[in-house]
Amino acid sequence: MEFVARPTTRIENIVATVILEHGIDLDLLESKIPNITFRPDQFPGLIFRLDKPKATALIFRSGKMVVTGTKSTNELIEVVKRMIRILARHGIRITGKPRIQIQNIVASGDIHALVNLEKAAYMLEDSMYEPEQFPGLIHRMREPRVVLLIFSSGKMVITGAKEEKEVEEAAKKIAQELTDLGCIIGPRLEEQE
């Protein structure tokens, strides 16, 4: 019976930019809101952390923010709304609708099978494998446009996606390609029944 790889994925972090329609007075923000770090002599942005859900925003005078730490698009939207409500509660008015742009989704994945990385590096286009430098194969997938770090255990890191669906699509596609190319050795010990 031929082994069929069934990949799974989990989003670990979404990095997004949020663009407000106006600038923000960071000194005023720092004086009014607790849990904010602002050291303009070291970094031009203000660091604003939320506990639930756990996320961090770098806020700049231009009105741009970089938000990290969320694990889904819905959570990202909720974090942005929550931050804006906190700003409003402390007298910082935000006019207009913030534009949210996902820059990078980082996910972990698992093919649940052992992979012959040397064969994969030879057979897969746009791949690089130098085990003395790094234990994983680096594969630049063209569609969806992501980078995968694939390890012999079948575990992987997927980075560069702009939408959640691209993560799952990339995992399924690489599992199928590795299977078709004969690079799947078989199930890991813990995967065997």
Side-chain angles (χ1 to χ4, degrees), residues 141-158:
M141 189 174 277
R142 292 179 186 175
E143 193 54 47
R145 195 174 180 86
V146 297
V147 175
L148 296 101
L149 307 177
I150 305 166
F151 299 91
S152 60
S153 65
K155 296 195 186 265
M156 54 190 169
V157 175
I158 304 162

Side-chain angles (χ1 to χ4, degrees), residues 97-111:
K97 188 178 178 186
R99 288 193 326 258
I100 301 172
Q101 208 172 22
I102 293 176
Q103 300 300 323
N104 185 19
I105 297 176
V106 179
S108 56
D110 196 343
I111 296 172

Side-chain angles (χ1 to χ4, degrees), residues 5-9 110-112 156 168 171-176:
R6 296 194 192 334
T8 56
T9 59
D110 196 343
I111 296 172
H112 300 282
M156 54 190 169
E168 207 165 304
K172 285 179 182 170
K173 186 174 178 181
I174 198 66
Q176 189 62 57

Side-chain angles (χ1 to χ4, degrees), residues 3-170:
F3 176 75
V4 178
R6 296 194 192 334
T8 56
T9 59
R10 186 175 81 208
I11 292 175
E12 302 295 343
N13 184 25
I14 296 178
V15 178
T17 52
V18 179
I19 301 163
L20 304 173
E21 293 180 357
H22 53 80
I24 295 181
D25 183 342
L26 299 185
D27 300 304
L28 179 66
L29 207 60
E30 181 196 27
S31 69
K32 292 190 170 224
I33 301 177
N35 303 340
I36 280 186
T37 306
F38 186 44
R39 296 191 186 100
D41 54 317
Q42 294 175 4
F43 182 71
L46 180 141
I47 303 168
F48 182 13
R49 290 183 176 84
L50 285 182
D51 286 337
K52 287 186 182 171
K54 200 166 180 69
T56 302
L58 303 175
I59 304 174
F60 299 93
R61 290 186 194 283
S62 64
K64 286 188 181 173
M65 299 194 291
V66 177
V67 178
T68 63
T70 59
K71 298 189 184 299
S72 72
T73 305
N74 290 341
E75 190 176 83
L76 169 65
I77 292 165
E78 189 51 47
V79 161
V80 172
K81 285 179 180 176
R82 186 156 175 243
M83 287 180 171
I84 287 173
R85 281 193 304 267
I86 291 169
L87 295 177
R89 218 173 27 241
H90 289 87
I92 312 291
R93 237 174 58 106
I94 304 295
T95 58
K97 188 178 178 186
R99 288 193 326 258
I100 301 172
Q101 208 172 22
I102 293 176
Q103 300 300 323
N104 185 19
I105 297 176
V106 179
S108 56
D110 196 343
I111 296 172
H112 300 282
L114 298 172
V115 180
N116 180 336
L117 294 182
E118 290 194 13
K119 185 174 183 181
Y122 181 73
M123 305 287 284
L124 266 180
E125 279 186 37
D126 300 317
S127 292
M128 187 172 80
Y129 180 53
E130 295 179 22
E132 45 305 317
Q133 300 287 323
F134 181 70
L137 176 137
I138 301 166
H139 175 60
R140 296 183 188 286
M141 189 174 277
R142 292 179 186 175
E143 193 54 47
R145 195 174 180 86
V146 297
V147 175
L148 296 101
L149 307 177
I150 305 166
F151 299 91
S152 60
S153 65
K155 296 195 186 265
M156 54 190 169
V157 175
I158 304 162
T159 184
K162 305 275 191 203
E163 297 177 44
E164 289 180 52
K165 68 179 182 180
E166 292 176 340
V167 169
E168 207 165 304
E169 188 182 323

